[in-house]
Amino acid sequence: MALRIEDYALLGDMQSAALVGRDGSVDWLCMPRFDSAAMFAGLLGDDENGHWRLCPAAGGLATRRAYRPGTLVLDTEWDTPEGTLRVTDFMPPRDEAPDVVRIVECLSGRVAVHSVLRLRFDYGHVVPWVRRGAGGHVAIAGPDAVWLREDVHTRGEGSSTVADFALAAGERASFVLTWSPSHLPEPTPVRPVEALEDTVAFWQEWSARRAGDGRWKDDVSASLVVLKALTYQPTGGLVAAVTTSLPEAVGGVRNWDYRYCWLRDATFTLQAMLRCGYTDEAAAWREWLLRAIAGDPRDLQIMYGIAGERRLPEYELPWLAGYEGSRPVRVGNGAANQLQLDVYGEVIDALALARENQLDSDNAAWALQRMLLDWLESGWDQPDEGIWEVRGPRRSFTHSKVMAWVAADRAVHAVERFGLSGPVGRWRALREEIKTDVLTHAYDAERNTFTQYYGSKALDAATLLIPQVGFLPPEDPRVQGTVEAVRRELSVDGFVRRYDTEPDGEHGGSAGAGGSAVDGLPGAEGTFLACSFWLADALHLVGRHDEALAQFERLLDVRNDVGLLAEEWDPVGRRQLGNVPQAFSHVALVNTAHNLGIAVPAGRCLS
């Protein structure tokens, strides 16, 4: 059975990723890309679906673990009656082929060690043929080949490769797992100790490039390493998470595949990267964005594959039992075909931010933005599925309309501030029309708050972004009322739910409600961590600085022992929920840390 989500740490080479638990077991690994079929899928099933455990023979959870400073190199240690054992896990930045390197070392005494490698290709479904090669073992099935090179004797046992050995103080043994296409020759093996030194040097050099300082510099640095690891190096695309189907509610059906790139992450990601001095990464993300959305604006998707792929067909894997019985397990994401008007605003806002930071000097990029605006002029008033990708009826979601306003606003500024060409008078009129529509239909004067969609009483945490994007100033009573309403009605111990979960749609629903008024899916969900960071931002903007600081510190406390955040937090069960590590959560952490360090004059928004 898989561990709690917070018991996993991330390994990655900026093209693929693994999750290793506190018990020394790699329970999730996709190669050669983030979105490839997993060869270890025990996370979503059991040991028979693939895993690789390396730990003391007595087993058990590690005594402690930590990344080496500024890196994604993980040291996991067990204190046993016989002595202390350390396993160092990492994935070297890729050269010829992707590798997972595991170095086990005895720090004191003499410790018996156990390793069991159970490879199962195609998400735990295919048992490979294993044979001994010149430098170790090779496992082959269909298009996949995995090579294992080790320093110790191994044996085959029950379709697994097993090793039992002992190490005395100062002794160590190494294992290298390498993937390659099955039709190609064996890749050149990496030297484990040399690869360790090179990997530490790579990450520490990258981390040292971070600009700025501040109260939370170490927390920010740790999240930036995660964001770098989630960036697909060949294209610059940022995946939302490295997993699929980790549930928003344990035992529930809201289990989605997050190994793709969402357009709504664009502005937030660019803000985080530019603020911290990572202009190369920001430029690469911008270029990915422009390639992905190129074409007819009517075909704009909310998400794309890591190389800009448009087809992300969703299907289920019935042979996997799901994380703690949370089924179905899904691959692909059908929400890619939804209409979400907010992404038009997010794309244009991101490119405006790039322009302000001198990343955008491409005439073709402005021409593409004008095409998006041409479509939005006639399409902004359509109902859509909204930021939360509901799988129910389309609505006129407030956040979607606000972001349509953002698109028009940024276009006006592009002409006024940067001298770009365009029908600025028409765009000013569009901006005013959208604003009037939102203020007329999305504001509940009786409760002094913006609502989730036109005509509803339900609340939506996305309305916390209204002052941050500049739609209304922080001192506006409607903004202050919205912040207070969200804090009062969507907050659970300071953690914010995305929207009301009462089936009848009445406001004030509890986190334990049995379904959603918006999408009708059974089961509640946890509080959403990005929204909880947005509350800290909003509290800061409206002048409630002490509350904002307390909110941020509360959020820092729910990271796991190696600094990772999933998508959601269950304040009752005191555990993380959803796919992990979640880029949206870590981007929000970086940006909120920056925002809380700014003294905001009246009438100004964070930028």
Side-chain angles (χ1 to χ4, degrees):
M1 181 176 176
L3 302 174
R4 287 164 72 99
I5 290 170
E6 57 265 37
D7 285 330
Y8 287 96
L10 173 70
L11 309 177
D13 66 356
M14 296 158 291
Q15 296 188 50
S16 57
L19 294 181
V20 55
R22 290 185 59 206
D23 59 352
S25 182
V26 180
D27 289 344
W28 183 255
L29 174 63
C30 299
M31 286 186 172
R33 303 191 344 165
F34 293 116
D35 57 354
S36 298
M39 64 180 69
F40 298 144
L43 180 69
L44 300 178
D46 56 30
D47 286 352
E48 288 301 319
N49 297 122
H51 75 116
W52 181 11
R53 183 171 288 114
L54 178 60
C55 62
L61 299 180
T63 308
R64 58 192 161 270
R65 62 179 181 170
Y67 289 118
R68 298 194 182 181
T71 80
L72 211 62
V73 174
L74 180 71
D75 288 321
T76 305
E77 296 181 1
W78 289 260
D79 293 333
T80 75
E82 294 75 28
T84 298
L85 191 76
R86 178 171 67 200
V87 174
T88 299
D89 291 317
F90 62 98
M91 295 176 67
R94 194 172 303 186
D95 186 9
E96 181 182 352
D99 304 284
V100 176
V101 180
R102 314 194 75 181
I103 301 173
V104 56
E105 181 178 6
C106 184
L107 303 181
S108 67
R110 182 178 177 83
V111 182
V113 184
H114 178 69
S115 171
V116 55
L117 172 68
R118 185 172 285 116
L119 283 161
R120 299 292 185 267
F121 296 131
D122 192 23
Y123 298 102
H125 188 54
V126 176
V127 180
W129 172 50
V130 181
R131 60 179 174 83
R132 182 169 290 278
H137 292 82
V138 59
I140 295 176
D144 299 295
V146 169
W147 302 81
L148 176 67
R149 304 173 186 90
E150 67 284 317
D151 294 340
V152 298
H153 173 73
T154 61
R155 66 184 187 278
E157 186 178 291
S159 299
S160 303
T161 301
V162 177
D164 288 292
F165 56 98
L167 295 174
E171 294 180 337
R172 64 186 174 194
S174 300
F175 298 79
V176 180
L177 191 74
T178 306
W179 179 92
S180 71
S182 59
H183 64 277
L184 295 182
E186 177 180 2
T188 304
V190 300
R191 295 187 175 92
V193 175
E194 181 180 319
L196 173 60
E197 294 172 352
D198 290 345
T199 302
V200 169
F202 168 84
W203 281 108
Q204 290 184 342
E205 180 182 352
W206 185 85
S207 295
R209 289 170 42 205
R210 185 181 69 84
D213 211 331
R215 177 175 173 181
W216 300 287
K217 63 177 182 178
D218 292 339
D219 305 301
V220 168
S221 290
S223 284
L224 288 168
V225 167
V226 173
L227 295 175
K228 177 67 170 176
L230 296 180
T231 301
Y232 186 62
Q233 189 175 47
T235 67
L238 179 78
V239 296
V242 303
T243 55
T244 180
S245 300
L246 290 181
E248 296 174 6
V250 172
V253 299
R254 291 189 180 97
N255 316 316
W256 316 112
D257 194 346
Y258 276 19
R259 297 171 300 159
Y260 307 113
C261 305
W262 266 253
L263 297 190
R264 73 170 43 91
D265 295 358
T267 302
F268 297 107
T269 301
L270 279 172
Q271 285 176 341
M273 291 176 174
L274 290 169
R275 285 167 170 173
C276 297
Y278 290 108
T279 54
D280 290 345
E281 284 76 11
W285 174 234
R286 170 192 173 275
E287 292 305 313
W288 175 90
L289 182 65
L290 289 172
R291 291 193 303 270
I293 67 174
D296 191 325
R298 292 173 298 182
D299 297 330
L300 186 71
Q301 297 185 184
I302 67 165
M303 73 181 83
Y304 295 85
I306 54 181
E309 297 91 345
R310 290 173 176 263
R311 294 185 182 273
L312 309 175
E314 183 178 306
Y315 58 96
E316 298 177 5
L317 306 180
W319 61 85
L320 289 174
Y323 179 84
E324 294 191 18
S326 304
R327 302 181 71 177
V329 173
R330 295 181 174 94
V331 169
N333 200 311
N337 299 316
Q338 290 186 349
L339 173 64
Q340 295 180 22
L341 294 172
D342 61 295
V343 299
Y344 289 85
E346 282 138 3
V347 166
I348 291 173
D349 193 28
L351 295 175
L353 182 63
R355 187 181 308 116
E356 292 170 2
N357 286 271
Q358 300 181 333
L359 293 180
D360 188 353
S361 58
D362 186 348
N363 291 332
W366 176 240
L368 180 58
Q369 292 169 72
R370 289 191 56 173
M371 289 174 61
L372 295 177
L373 283 156
D374 287 345
W375 184 90
L376 202 58
E377 281 187 87
S378 60
W380 71 269
D381 57 349
Q382 296 183 31
D384 69 338
E385 278 89 0
I387 183 175
W388 306 127
E389 299 168 11
V390 300
R391 300 200 176 193
R394 289 181 173 180
R395 315 269 192 175
S396 290
F397 284 103
T398 302
H399 176 73
S400 297
K401 307 307 184 193
V402 168
M403 293 309 297
W405 176 92
V406 167
D409 179 73
R410 302 318 187 248
V412 169
H413 284 292
V415 175
E416 293 178 341
R417 295 175 58 187
F418 295 95
L420 298 179
S421 62
V424 67
R426 222 169 65 208
W427 292 339
R428 288 194 192 104
L430 174 64
R431 181 175 63 178
E432 187 60 29
E433 181 185 8
I434 297 172
K435 189 166 193 174
T436 299
D437 194 65
V438 171
L439 296 179
T440 301
H441 299 291
Y443 175 65
D444 182 347
E446 180 182 346
R447 293 164 58 219
N448 188 27
T449 182
F450 286 96
T451 60
Q452 184 176 32
Y453 54 88
Y454 289 8
S456 75
K457 290 289 186 180
L459 298 183
D460 187 339
T463 57
L464 292 170
L465 297 174
I466 284 175
Q468 193 163 336
V469 301
F471 183 81
L472 288 176
E475 64 270 20
D476 190 295
R478 292 166 292 190
V479 168
Q480 302 212 8
T482 299
V483 173
E484 178 56 27
V486 169
R487 188 203 61 77
R488 182 181 63 247
E489 298 180 21
L490 290 185
S491 177
V492 183
D493 295 332
F495 301 97
V496 180
R497 292 180 287 120
R498 295 183 293 178
Y499 48 77
D500 288 318
T501 54
E502 288 285 0
D504 60 5
E506 291 301 318
H507 65 273
S510 69
S516 167
V518 177
D519 60 27
L521 292 175
E525 64 174 18
T527 58
F528 202 74
L529 288 171
C531 296
S532 303
F533 283 109
W534 295 348
L535 178 58
D537 294 331
L539 289 168
H540 179 60
L541 275 170
V542 301
R544 296 160 65 172
H545 309 297
D546 291 343
E547 292 178 65
L549 289 172
Q551 174 75 2
F552 186 62
E553 295 288 354
R554 183 182 296 115
L555 289 163
L556 292 180
D557 287 343
V558 304
R559 294 173 300 170
N560 75 353
D561 56 322
V562 291
L564 299 187
L565 288 169
E567 180 183 23
E568 299 185 353
W569 173 255
D570 176 1
V572 177
R574 306 291 300 173
R575 62 182 300 184
Q576 295 190 19
L577 295 172
N579 287 300
V580 71
Q582 181 79 2
F584 216 22
S585 299
H586 285 278
V587 165
L589 185 157
V590 172
N591 287 330
T592 301
H594 174 84
N595 293 339
L596 296 189
I598 299 175
V600 184
R604 294 287 301 278
C605 62
L606 300 172
S607 61

